[in-house]
PDB file of all heavy atoms in Angstrom:
ATOM      1  N   LEU A  13       0.813  -1.180   0.030  1.00 87.00           N
ATOM      2  CA  LEU A  13       0.007  -0.016   0.003  1.00 87.00           C
ATOM      3  C   LEU A  13       0.832   1.265   0.024  1.00 87.00           C
ATOM      4  O   LEU A  13       0.471   2.318  -0.533  1.00 87.00           O
ATOM      5  CB  LEU A  13      -0.905  -0.002   1.204  1.00 87.00           C
ATOM      6  CG  LEU A  13      -1.954  -1.089   1.257  1.00 87.00           C
ATOM      7  CD1 LEU A  13      -2.683  -1.060   2.590  1.00 87.00           C
ATOM      8  CD2 LEU A  13      -2.955  -0.912   0.107  1.00 87.00           C
ATOM      9  N   LEU A  14       2.022   1.143   0.584  1.00 88.00           N
ATOM     10  CA  LEU A  14       2.925   2.329   0.712  1.00 88.00           C
ATOM     11  C   LEU A  14       3.494   2.707  -0.659  1.00 88.00           C
ATOM     12  O   LEU A  14       3.431   3.956  -0.968  1.00 88.00           O
ATOM     13  CB  LEU A  14       4.106   2.000   1.619  1.00 88.00           C
ATOM     14  CG  LEU A  14       5.127   3.095   1.883  1.00 88.00           C
ATOM     15  CD1 LEU A  14       4.457   4.265   2.576  1.00 88.00           C
ATOM     16  CD2 LEU A  14       6.227   2.549   2.718  1.00 88.00           C
ATOM     17  N   LEU A  15       3.948   1.833  -1.446  1.00 88.00           N
ATOM     18  CA  LEU A  15       4.548   2.219  -2.725  1.00 88.00           C
ATOM     19  C   LEU A  15       3.631   2.957  -3.676  1.00 88.00           C
ATOM     20  O   LEU A  15       3.997   4.028  -4.147  1.00 88.00           O
ATOM     21  CB  LEU A  15       5.189   0.996  -3.379  1.00 88.00           C
ATOM     22  CG  LEU A  15       6.344   0.407  -2.566  1.00 88.00           C
ATOM     23  CD1 LEU A  15       6.841  -0.903  -3.273  1.00 88.00           C
ATOM     24  CD2 LEU A  15       7.437   1.336  -2.399  1.00 88.00           C
ATOM     25  N   PRO A  16       2.440   2.434  -3.964  1.00 87.00           N
ATOM     26  CA  PRO A  16       1.536   3.234  -4.858  1.00 87.00           C
ATOM     27  C   PRO A  16       1.072   4.549  -4.202  1.00 87.00           C
ATOM     28  O   PRO A  16       0.853   5.491  -4.907  1.00 87.00           O
ATOM     29  CB  PRO A  16       0.392   2.280  -5.169  1.00 87.00           C
ATOM     30  CG  PRO A  16       0.453   1.218  -4.146  1.00 87.00           C
ATOM     31  CD  PRO A  16       1.870   1.130  -3.662  1.00 87.00           C
ATOM     32  N   SER A  17       0.972   4.522  -2.877  1.00 88.00           N
ATOM     33  CA  SER A  17       0.580   5.775  -2.217  1.00 88.00           C
ATOM     34  C   SER A  17       1.630   6.841  -2.407  1.00 88.00           C
ATOM     35  O   SER A  17       1.318   7.977  -2.705  1.00 88.00           O
ATOM     36  CB  SER A  17       0.359   5.541  -0.686  1.00 88.00           C
ATOM     37  OG  SER A  17      -0.669   4.623  -0.524  1.00 88.00           O
ATOM     38  N   LEU A  18       2.894   6.488  -2.180  1.00 88.00           N
ATOM     39  CA  LEU A  18       3.966   7.476  -2.326  1.00 88.00           C
ATOM     40  C   LEU A  18       4.099   7.927  -3.780  1.00 88.00           C
ATOM     41  O   LEU A  18       4.323   9.118  -4.053  1.00 88.00           O
ATOM     42  CB  LEU A  18       5.287   6.867  -1.827  1.00 88.00           C
ATOM     43  CG  LEU A  18       5.418   6.677  -0.358  1.00 88.00           C
ATOM     44  CD1 LEU A  18       6.709   5.987  -0.021  1.00 88.00           C
ATOM     45  CD2 LEU A  18       5.332   7.993   0.426  1.00 88.00           C
ATOM     46  N   LEU A  19       3.915   7.004  -4.704  1.00 88.00           N
ATOM     47  CA  LEU A  19       4.000   7.378  -6.126  1.00 88.00           C
ATOM     48  C   LEU A  19       2.853   8.277  -6.509  1.00 88.00           C
ATOM     49  O   LEU A  19       3.057   9.283  -7.235  1.00 88.00           O
ATOM     50  CB  LEU A  19       3.978   6.086  -7.015  1.00 88.00           C
ATOM     51  CG  LEU A  19       4.095   6.356  -8.525  1.00 88.00           C
ATOM     52  CD1 LEU A  19       5.396   7.074  -8.846  1.00 88.00           C
ATOM     53  CD2 LEU A  19       4.016   5.004  -9.278  1.00 88.00           C
ATOM     54  N   THR A  20       1.661   8.022  -6.035  1.00 88.00           N
ATOM     55  CA  THR A  20       0.515   8.880  -6.308  1.00 88.00           C
ATOM     56  C   THR A  20       0.733  10.255  -5.759  1.00 88.00           C
ATOM     57  O   THR A  20       0.454  11.256  -6.418  1.00 88.00           O
ATOM     58  CB  THR A  20      -0.762   8.241  -5.713  1.00 88.00           C
ATOM     59  OG1 THR A  20      -0.968   6.983  -6.283  1.00 88.00           O
ATOM     60  CG2 THR A  20      -1.961   9.109  -5.954  1.00 88.00           C
ATOM     61  N   ILE A  21       1.245  10.358  -4.534  1.00 87.00           N
ATOM     62  CA  ILE A  21       1.520  11.652  -3.919  1.00 87.00           C
ATOM     63  C   ILE A  21       2.564  12.414  -4.713  1.00 87.00           C
ATOM     64  O   ILE A  21       2.406  13.602  -5.009  1.00 87.00           O
ATOM     65  CB  ILE A  21       1.927  11.468  -2.479  1.00 87.00           C
ATOM     66  CG1 ILE A  21       0.789  10.969  -1.620  1.00 87.00           C
ATOM     67  CG2 ILE A  21       2.468  12.817  -1.902  1.00 87.00           C
ATOM     68  CD1 ILE A  21       1.139  10.528  -0.258  1.00 87.00           C
ATOM     69  N   ALA A  22       3.624  11.699  -5.102  1.00 87.00           N
ATOM     70  CA  ALA A  22       4.709  12.366  -5.872  1.00 87.00           C
ATOM     71  C   ALA A  22       4.182  12.849  -7.215  1.00 87.00           C
ATOM     72  O   ALA A  22       4.525  13.991  -7.602  1.00 87.00           O
ATOM     73  CB  ALA A  22       5.878  11.397  -6.027  1.00 87.00           C
ATOM     74  N   MET A  23       3.446  12.052  -7.933  1.00 89.00           N
ATOM     75  CA  MET A  23       2.977  12.402  -9.251  1.00 89.00           C
ATOM     76  C   MET A  23       1.922  13.534  -9.198  1.00 89.00           C
ATOM     77  O   MET A  23       1.825  14.355 -10.121  1.00 89.00           O
ATOM     78  CB  MET A  23       2.399  11.205 -10.022  1.00 89.00           C
ATOM     79  CG  MET A  23       3.430  10.166 -10.370  1.00 89.00           C
ATOM     80  SD  MET A  23       4.816  10.818 -11.326  1.00 89.00           S
ATOM     81  CE  MET A  23       6.100  10.766 -10.115  1.00 89.00           C
ATOM     82  N   SER A  24       1.145  13.609  -8.103  1.00 88.00           N
ATOM     83  CA  SER A  24       0.106  14.632  -7.982  1.00 88.00           C
ATOM     84  C   SER A  24       0.690  15.999  -7.849  1.00 88.00           C
ATOM     85  O   SER A  24       0.033  16.996  -8.128  1.00 88.00           O
ATOM     86  CB  SER A  24      -0.807  14.336  -6.836  1.00 88.00           C
ATOM     87  OG  SER A  24      -0.140  14.513  -5.602  1.00 88.00           O
ATOM     88  N   ARG A  25       1.950  16.093  -7.453  1.00 89.00           N
ATOM     89  CA  ARG A  25       2.636  17.362  -7.275  1.00 89.00           C
ATOM     90  C   ARG A  25       3.371  17.854  -8.549  1.00 89.00           C
ATOM     91  O   ARG A  25       3.939  18.958  -8.542  1.00 89.00           O
ATOM     92  CB  ARG A  25       3.618  17.315  -6.130  1.00 89.00           C
ATOM     93  CG  ARG A  25       2.864  17.048  -4.815  1.00 89.00           C
ATOM     94  CD  ARG A  25       3.803  16.986  -3.638  1.00 89.00           C
ATOM     95  NE  ARG A  25       3.008  16.743  -2.472  1.00 89.00           N
ATOM     96  CZ  ARG A  25       3.500  16.571  -1.260  1.00 89.00           C
ATOM     97  NH1 ARG A  25       4.826  16.537  -1.120  1.00 89.00           N
ATOM     98  NH2 ARG A  25       2.740  16.383  -0.255  1.00 89.00           N
ATOM     99  N   LEU A  26       3.323  17.043  -9.578  1.00 90.00           N
ATOM    100  CA  LEU A  26       4.002  17.407 -10.823  1.00 90.00           C
ATOM    101  C   LEU A  26       2.979  17.813 -11.914  1.00 90.00           C
ATOM    102  O   LEU A  26       1.891  17.317 -11.885  1.00 90.00           O
ATOM    103  CB  LEU A  26       4.816  16.230 -11.376  1.00 90.00           C
ATOM    104  CG  LEU A  26       6.013  15.767 -10.519  1.00 90.00           C
ATOM    105  CD1 LEU A  26       6.613  14.498 -11.135  1.00 90.00           C
ATOM    106  CD2 LEU A  26       7.030  16.842 -10.368  1.00 90.00           C
ATOM    107  N   ASP A  27       3.438  18.726 -12.760  1.00 92.00           N
ATOM    108  CA  ASP A  27       2.607  19.028 -13.926  1.00 92.00           C
ATOM    109  C   ASP A  27       2.529  17.776 -14.822  1.00 92.00           C
ATOM    110  O   ASP A  27       3.373  16.936 -14.795  1.00 92.00           O
ATOM    111  CB  ASP A  27       3.234  20.172 -14.705  1.00 92.00           C
ATOM    112  CG  ASP A  27       3.207  21.491 -13.976  1.00 92.00           C
ATOM    113  OD1 ASP A  27       2.276  21.694 -13.151  1.00 92.00           O
ATOM    114  OD2 ASP A  27       4.108  22.331 -14.201  1.00 92.00           O
ATOM    115  N   PHE A  28       1.425  17.788 -15.590  1.00 90.00           N
ATOM    116  CA  PHE A  28       1.230  16.604 -16.451  1.00 90.00           C
ATOM    117  C   PHE A  28       2.406  16.313 -17.379  1.00 90.00           C
ATOM    118  O   PHE A  28       2.821  15.156 -17.575  1.00 90.00           O
ATOM    119  CB  PHE A  28      -0.078  16.824 -17.293  1.00 90.00           C
ATOM    120  CG  PHE A  28      -0.418  15.631 -18.119  1.00 90.00           C
ATOM    121  CD1 PHE A  28      -1.021  14.506 -17.557  1.00 90.00           C
ATOM    122  CD2 PHE A  28      -0.152  15.648 -19.510  1.00 90.00           C
ATOM    123  CE1 PHE A  28      -1.321  13.421 -18.302  1.00 90.00           C
ATOM    124  CE2 PHE A  28      -0.496  14.541 -20.273  1.00 90.00           C
ATOM    125  CZ  PHE A  28      -1.054  13.405 -19.696  1.00 90.00           C
ATOM    126  N   ALA A  29       2.995  17.369 -17.944  1.00 89.00           N
ATOM    127  CA  ALA A  29       4.129  17.196 -18.884  1.00 89.00           C
ATOM    128  C   ALA A  29       5.351  16.614 -18.214  1.00 89.00           C
ATOM    129  O   ALA A  29       6.200  16.083 -18.844  1.00 89.00           O
ATOM    130  CB  ALA A  29       4.426  18.556 -19.485  1.00 89.00           C
ATOM    131  N   ASP A  30       5.464  16.779 -16.862  1.00 91.00           N
ATOM    132  CA  ASP A  30       6.649  16.294 -16.170  1.00 91.00           C
ATOM    133  C   ASP A  30       6.479  14.904 -15.494  1.00 91.00           C
ATOM    134  O   ASP A  30       7.375  14.404 -14.871  1.00 91.00           O
ATOM    135  CB  ASP A  30       7.040  17.296 -15.085  1.00 91.00           C
ATOM    136  CG  ASP A  30       7.478  18.639 -15.708  1.00 91.00           C
ATOM    137  OD1 ASP A  30       8.073  18.612 -16.782  1.00 91.00           O
ATOM    138  OD2 ASP A  30       7.216  19.683 -15.061  1.00 91.00           O
ATOM    139  N   ARG A  31       5.304  14.328 -15.608  1.00 91.00           N
ATOM    140  CA  ARG A  31       5.025  13.103 -14.869  1.00 91.00           C
ATOM    141  C   ARG A  31       5.826  11.890 -15.428  1.00 91.00           C
ATOM    142  O   ARG A  31       6.171  11.031 -14.617  1.00 91.00           O
ATOM    143  CB  ARG A  31       3.500  12.811 -14.886  1.00 91.00           C
ATOM    144  CG  ARG A  31       2.807  13.761 -13.975  1.00 91.00           C
ATOM    145  CD  ARG A  31       1.385  13.454 -13.813  1.00 91.00           C
ATOM    146  NE  ARG A  31       0.731  14.434 -13.008  1.00 91.00           N
ATOM    147  CZ  ARG A  31      -0.548  14.579 -12.758  1.00 91.00           C
ATOM    148  NH1 ARG A  31      -1.355  13.698 -13.353  1.00 91.00           N
ATOM    149  NH2 ARG A  31      -1.001  15.489 -12.005  1.00 91.00           N
ATOM    150  N   GLY A  32       6.078  11.837 -16.684  1.00 91.00           N
ATOM    151  CA  GLY A  32       6.895  10.750 -17.219  1.00 91.00           C
ATOM    152  C   GLY A  32       8.275  10.780 -16.655  1.00 91.00           C
ATOM    153  O   GLY A  32       8.815   9.730 -16.172  1.00 91.00           O
ATOM    154  N   ARG A  33       8.894  11.896 -16.669  1.00 93.00           N
ATOM    155  CA  ARG A  33      10.261  12.056 -16.054  1.00 93.00           C
ATOM    156  C   ARG A  33      10.197  11.822 -14.553  1.00 93.00           C
ATOM    157  O   ARG A  33      11.105  11.146 -13.975  1.00 93.00           O
ATOM    158  CB  ARG A  33      10.775  13.507 -16.363  1.00 93.00           C
ATOM    159  CG  ARG A  33      12.228  13.665 -15.981  1.00 93.00           C
ATOM    160  CD  ARG A  33      12.799  15.046 -16.398  1.00 93.00           C
ATOM    161  NE  ARG A  33      12.462  15.424 -17.730  1.00 93.00           N
ATOM    162  CZ  ARG A  33      11.677  16.445 -18.078  1.00 93.00           C
ATOM    163  NH1 ARG A  33      11.128  17.187 -17.128  1.00 93.00           N
ATOM    164  NH2 ARG A  33      11.418  16.731 -19.332  1.00 93.00           N
ATOM    165  N   GLY A  34       9.178  12.311 -13.894  1.00 92.00           N
ATOM    166  CA  GLY A  34       9.067  12.080 -12.467  1.00 92.00           C
ATOM    167  C   GLY A  34       8.898  10.615 -12.103  1.00 92.00           C
ATOM    168  O   GLY A  34       9.466  10.171 -11.134  1.00 92.00           O
ATOM    169  N   THR A  35       8.122   9.922 -12.934  1.00 92.00           N
ATOM    170  CA  THR A  35       7.953   8.493 -12.682  1.00 92.00           C
ATOM    171  C   THR A  35       9.289   7.751 -12.846  1.00 92.00           C
ATOM    172  O   THR A  35       9.616   6.828 -12.115  1.00 92.00           O
ATOM    173  CB  THR A  35       6.911   7.859 -13.661  1.00 92.00           C
ATOM    174  OG1 THR A  35       5.658   8.574 -13.436  1.00 92.00           O
ATOM    175  CG2 THR A  35       6.672   6.420 -13.378  1.00 92.00           C
ATOM    176  N   GLY A  36      10.044   8.140 -13.863  1.00 93.00           N
ATOM    177  CA  GLY A  36      11.348   7.536 -14.075  1.00 93.00           C
ATOM    178  C   GLY A  36      12.323   7.805 -12.908  1.00 93.00           C
ATOM    179  O   GLY A  36      13.007   6.889 -12.446  1.00 93.00           O
ATOM    180  N   LEU A  37      12.320   9.049 -12.399  1.00 93.00           N
ATOM    181  CA  LEU A  37      13.163   9.340 -11.278  1.00 93.00           C
ATOM    182  C   LEU A  37      12.723   8.628 -10.006  1.00 93.00           C
ATOM    183  O   LEU A  37      13.509   8.132  -9.237  1.00 93.00           O
ATOM    184  CB  LEU A  37      13.157  10.871 -11.042  1.00 93.00           C
ATOM    185  CG  LEU A  37      13.905  11.694 -12.072  1.00 93.00           C
ATOM    186  CD1 LEU A  37      13.641  13.197 -11.827  1.00 93.00           C
ATOM    187  CD2 LEU A  37      15.403  11.415 -12.017  1.00 93.00           C
ATOM    188  N   TRP A  38      11.418   8.505  -9.828  1.00 91.00           N
ATOM    189  CA  TRP A  38      10.872   7.787  -8.672  1.00 91.00           C
ATOM    190  C   TRP A  38      11.282   6.331  -8.742  1.00 91.00           C
ATOM    191  O   TRP A  38      11.693   5.747  -7.736  1.00 91.00           O
ATOM    192  CB  TRP A  38       9.351   7.951  -8.614  1.00 91.00           C
ATOM    193  CG  TRP A  38       8.757   7.460  -7.349  1.00 91.00           C
ATOM    194  CD1 TRP A  38       8.508   8.237  -6.204  1.00 91.00           C
ATOM    195  CD2 TRP A  38       8.408   6.134  -6.991  1.00 91.00           C
ATOM    196  NE1 TRP A  38       8.005   7.415  -5.220  1.00 91.00           N
ATOM    197  CE2 TRP A  38       7.867   6.144  -5.701  1.00 91.00           C
ATOM    198  CE3 TRP A  38       8.398   4.907  -7.696  1.00 91.00           C
ATOM    199  CZ2 TRP A  38       7.430   5.011  -5.044  1.00 91.00           C
ATOM    200  CZ3 TRP A  38       7.952   3.803  -7.060  1.00 91.00           C
ATOM    201  CH2 TRP A  38       7.466   3.863  -5.762  1.00 91.00           C
ATOM    202  N   THR A  39      11.131   5.719  -9.898  1.00 92.00           N
ATOM    203  CA  THR A  39      11.487   4.333 -10.121  1.00 92.00           C
ATOM    204  C   THR A  39      12.956   4.095  -9.857  1.00 92.00           C
ATOM    205  O   THR A  39      13.364   3.144  -9.223  1.00 92.00           O
ATOM    206  CB  THR A  39      11.054   3.827 -11.507  1.00 92.00           C
ATOM    207  OG1 THR A  39       9.638   4.048 -11.667  1.00 92.00           O
ATOM    208  CG2 THR A  39      11.352   2.364 -11.707  1.00 92.00           C
ATOM    209  N   ALA A  40      13.810   5.002 -10.359  1.00 95.00           N
ATOM    210  CA  ALA A  40      15.233   4.875 -10.154  1.00 95.00           C
ATOM    211  C   ALA A  40      15.573   4.976  -8.684  1.00 95.00           C
ATOM    212  O   ALA A  40      16.386   4.208  -8.139  1.00 95.00           O
ATOM    213  CB  ALA A  40      15.976   5.970 -10.928  1.00 95.00           C
ATOM    214  N   SER A  41      14.948   5.913  -7.939  1.00 93.00           N
ATOM    215  CA  SER A  41      15.162   6.055  -6.543  1.00 93.00           C
ATOM    216  C   SER A  41      14.720   4.792  -5.767  1.00 93.00           C
ATOM    217  O   SER A  41      15.393   4.341  -4.860  1.00 93.00           O
ATOM    218  CB  SER A  41      14.401   7.263  -6.006  1.00 93.00           C
ATOM    219  OG  SER A  41      14.830   8.434  -6.625  1.00 93.00           O
TER     220      SER A  41
END
């Protein structure tokens, strides 16, 4: 439950155009 929660919170703070890059950085982290 933690992992998708943190990813959802992180992506909700990014503009739509930046979400792909944000997802990649989150996955790398």
Side-chain angles (χ1 to χ4, degrees):
L13 295 172
L14 180 65
L15 295 176
S17 296
L18 291 175
L19 181 60
T20 300
I21 291 167
M23 293 304 107
S24 70
R25 295 180 179 176
L26 295 176
D27 292 331
F28 184 76
D30 295 326
R31 288 187 183 171
R33 189 175 312 114
T35 303
L37 289 170
W38 191 93
T39 303
S41 299

